[in-house]
Amino acid sequence: QVQLVESGGGLVQAGGSLRLSCAASGTFFRINAMGWYRQAPGKQRELVATITSSSTTNYADSVKGRFTISRDNAKNTVFLQMDSLKPEDTAVYYCNAQVLVTTPVRFLEVWGQGTLVTVSS
């Protein structure tokens, strides 16, 4: 079983910064892409940023230039540095990973439990 545990959410004023972390644990062969998604109240979950195992990144237009995704493959951890935060960034942020497991060999899509980020104006 594979688990993702997020940390780093909280309350911050507009213009401030937060750093989210997400660590994978359990039994698996390797992790391919990892990413962050968010869901604001009354809205659908949306992509924030993704990063491949070779560190190729992709960002939503709304966060480009403000957020930075990175990963530590040795620690099976992905990070999201969020700068210049805006009230519209308020949401529950979810970590996601594509995990290769064995017995049988297959890819699993795993989600974290979510961490709340609140940006006050």
Side-chain angles (χ1 to χ4, degrees):
Q1 189 170 353
V2 182
Q3 290 185 325
L4 299 176
V5 178
E6 300 121 332
S7 61
L11 174 65
V12 64
Q13 288 188 333
S17 298
L18 282 175
R19 180 177 171 87
L20 305 182
S21 300
C22 171
S25 63
T27 302
F28 51 88
F29 185 66
R30 74 168 186 263
I31 300 176
N32 282 3
M34 302 186 80
W36 291 94
Y37 292 73
R38 66 187 182 186
Q39 187 167 17
K43 295 188 177 181
Q44 291 188 330
R45 190 174 297 188
E46 63 177 4
L47 169 74
V48 175
T50 61
I51 184 168
T52 68
S53 56
S54 56
S55 295
T56 299
T57 59
N58 179 56
Y59 295 92
D61 287 342
S62 59
V63 306
K64 281 181 182 177
R66 300 188 298 121
F67 291 10
T68 303
I69 189 170
S70 60
R71 65 190 285 173
D72 182 337
N73 289 331
K75 296 182 178 180
N76 297 312
T77 300
V78 63
F79 306 97
L80 185 68
Q81 178 66 41
M82 303 185 293
D83 299 317
S84 302
L85 282 160
K86 304 175 181 179
E88 51 262 44
D89 294 318
T90 295
V92 177
Y93 284 70
Y94 295 91
C95 177
N96 172 272
Q98 296 173 358
V99 182
L100 182 62
V101 298
T102 60
T103 319
V105 176
R106 66 195 188 280
F107 276 104
L108 295 180
E109 185 173 34
V110 185
W111 291 91
Q113 81 285 358
T115 186
L116 178 62
V117 172
T118 303
V119 185
S120 63
S121 57

